[in-house]
Amino acid sequence: EIRNCDWSSDVCSSDLKVDGKVIVPPLYHSIAQPVGAYCAFEQVPRHWGVMTLKGKVIVDAKYEKVEIRDNGIAVVTGITGKTQTINLK
């Protein structure tokens, strides 16, 4: 479950802190605002994938860019600039 995110920037980065000290580091570098039942996530810088809102990874984090569309389609861009369309359903 995604909690404590300020979506005003369309990306959430969070970790669990106690007294200012990180006790649980984030699993993902950042998580994009959800689109329908999916959201893009960045595992490490410039490595994006797609997960369901329940946290199940359905597209591995190996793309430089991910755009999720309302119709359950993701357009992913690899590091070479080649784009690919993936049906998420």
Side-chain angles (χ1 to χ4, degrees):
E1 185 175 338
I2 302 168
R3 297 182 184 177
N4 302 325
C5 289
D6 173 9
W7 292 115
S8 61
S9 67
D10 290 336
V11 175
C12 175
S13 296
S14 187
D15 49 34
L16 180 58
K17 294 181 181 180
V18 173
D19 297 326
K21 181 180 176 186
V22 175
I23 61 169
V24 178
L27 184 58
Y28 302 109
H29 184 71
S30 57
I31 300 173
Q33 187 168 3
V35 177
Y38 309 98
C39 61
F41 68 94
E42 189 178 25
Q43 189 121 33
V44 295
R46 298 179 63 196
H47 287 77
W48 287 88
V50 178
M51 73 170 87
T52 68
L53 296 185
K54 293 188 177 195
K56 180 180 179 187
V57 173
I58 55 175
V59 176
D60 289 333
K62 60 182 181 180
Y63 298 98
E64 187 169 12
K65 181 180 176 186
V66 171
E67 177 191 347
I68 301 173
R69 300 190 176 158
D70 289 330
N71 58 359
I73 298 291
V75 178
V76 297
T77 306
I79 58 170
T80 62
K82 181 180 176 185
T83 61
Q84 179 182 352
T85 301
I86 299 173
N87 187 347
L88 301 174
K89 295 181 179 179

